[in-house]
Amino acid sequence: MKKYLFLLFAVQSIYTFSNSLLPFKETDQPKAPDYADSKYWSALPFRKDAADLHPRNETWISDSLKEVDVFYIYPTLYAKGNTWNADLDNKKLNKRLDNLPVKYQASIFNQIGRVYAPRYRQAIIDSYFDTTGSGDKALDFAYDDVKKAFEYYLKHYNNGRPIIIASHSQGTTHCRRLLKDYFDSPTMKAKLVCAYIVGYEVNKENYQILTPCQDANETNCYVTWSTFKDGFQYKDKLHYFGNVCVNPVSWKIDSTKATSNGGVLLNVNRKKKFTTTAHIENAHLLVKTNLTFMKKRDVLHLVDFNLFWFDVRKNAAQRTAAYLKNKK
């Protein structure tokens, strides 16, 4: 268990890693994915994969009965390598992605949606700290994969169904662009149940039409938060937060404190759920949690979703029900 948890923290460290990388060149990066090939999807409906995790007290609902789709983009786990962007034939990295973020984040939404999680040539973690311009190019390169995966999904899988967007960290770096490119228009906004774009800077000015959700039942909107320990003095502007924060317990933007319905670290079936109290202060989500493992950390980026696993799962069902009711 300790080794497993250490891996979770190591691969998503907020600090830079030591890599000997040459300046970014597109031709030096690993080969592109073919999204017609199912191996380039970490999760797809109608097959058994990591996104199928669910509590034992819930009956699995067939994908054929779900009326919405979920398009999920995972965070950075590519910490060290010889190229700026990850190789999608890297079996070890793919296994970590499947067994960590896809299993414990994308699975939140499987109660109500068909989950699609494309593999993409994510940028190495150094990209966020690089000052030469190569990091920005690597992130743009990664977004191009995400965009192509989404276009393939729209053309071959969506069939006019409502969509939930979900992402974390680097996934949100890309998903906030995806929202701008595809959903910041009346037609596509109408297809959006909600976007859960978590763990990276989002600002109201990013969009002309899309707005943050104001309550637990609003649809055609987005929610975002980045989590910090209550009392943490955030002196430096990190990548994690912008000027929008929605409380993932109350689903409000005000400063009211709310106690979660329970979180998940590595076991959705633990007899006693750990709980978290959260409130917003200056567009930051500040929390108190009885999750022992996190008590000594100030930046709780790694567990942005985990702390509120059951809250987000419940809310996705609420918003889906509201969306479908409004469409009738």
Side-chain angles (χ1 to χ4, degrees), residues 187-222:
T187 301
M188 285 296 285
K189 178 183 175 182
K191 286 173 64 69
L192 182 66
V193 177
C194 182
Y196 296 81
I197 50 173
V198 178
Y200 196 78
E201 179 181 4
V202 178
N203 295 296
K204 294 178 182 178
E205 296 77 21
N206 292 149
Y207 309 108
Q208 292 184 333
I209 296 177
L210 284 177
T211 56
C213 302
Q214 300 292 321
D215 60 50
N217 294 295
E218 187 179 356
T219 60
N220 314 117
C221 53
Y222 66 88

Side-chain angles (χ1 to χ4, degrees), residues 38-51:
S38 63
K39 81 173 187 178
Y40 291 110
W41 295 84
S42 175
L44 282 173
F46 305 106
R47 80 175 191 195
K48 186 175 179 59
D49 52 44

Side-chain angles (χ1 to χ4, degrees), residues 87-106:
D87 187 346
L88 298 185
D89 289 327
N90 184 333
K91 293 181 180 180
K92 188 175 181 179
L93 177 59
N94 288 343
K95 186 176 181 180
R96 291 204 302 265
L97 288 163
D98 294 345
N99 290 336
L100 291 170
V102 176
K103 184 175 183 179
Y104 294 105
Q105 293 181 353

